[in-house]
């Protein structure tokens, strides 16, 4: 198939809308937290709370 089907186009449009919405939510969180040092509530931690810190091997 050469072109995108309507379903593919709809899916791409929905994905773009979801990404834009997430970006807007992040912008709002950043504006609400500035200049505080706490990260926005949407930010995910790299490790789970209470998880032991692993030292990197050299």
């Amino acid at each position: 198939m050469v072109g995108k089907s309507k379903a593919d186009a709809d899916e791409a449009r929905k994905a773009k809308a979801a990404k834009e919405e997430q970006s807007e939510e992040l912008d709002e969180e950043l504006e609400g937290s500035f200049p505080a040092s706490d990260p926005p509530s949407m930010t995910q931690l790299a490790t789970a709370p209470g998880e032991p810190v692993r030292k990197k091997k050299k």
Side-chain angles (χ1 to χ4, degrees):
M1 186 179 236
V2 176
K4 287 185 176 181
S5 70
K6 184 177 180 190
D8 289 340
D10 288 344
E11 186 175 325
R13 193 175 6 239
K14 287 179 185 178
K16 184 177 179 181
K19 189 173 184 177
E20 288 176 2
E21 182 179 342
Q22 184 179 22
S23 179
E24 289 175 11
E25 289 177 7
L26 180 57
D27 288 343
E28 289 175 13
E29 290 290 328
L30 288 171
E31 287 175 11
S33 68
F34 188 79
S37 61
D38 295 337
S41 61
M42 288 182 65
T43 303
Q44 295 180 355
L45 299 175
T47 59
E51 184 176 317
V53 176
R54 297 181 187 163
K55 294 184 180 181
K56 293 183 179 181
K57 295 180 182 178
K58 291 184 179 181

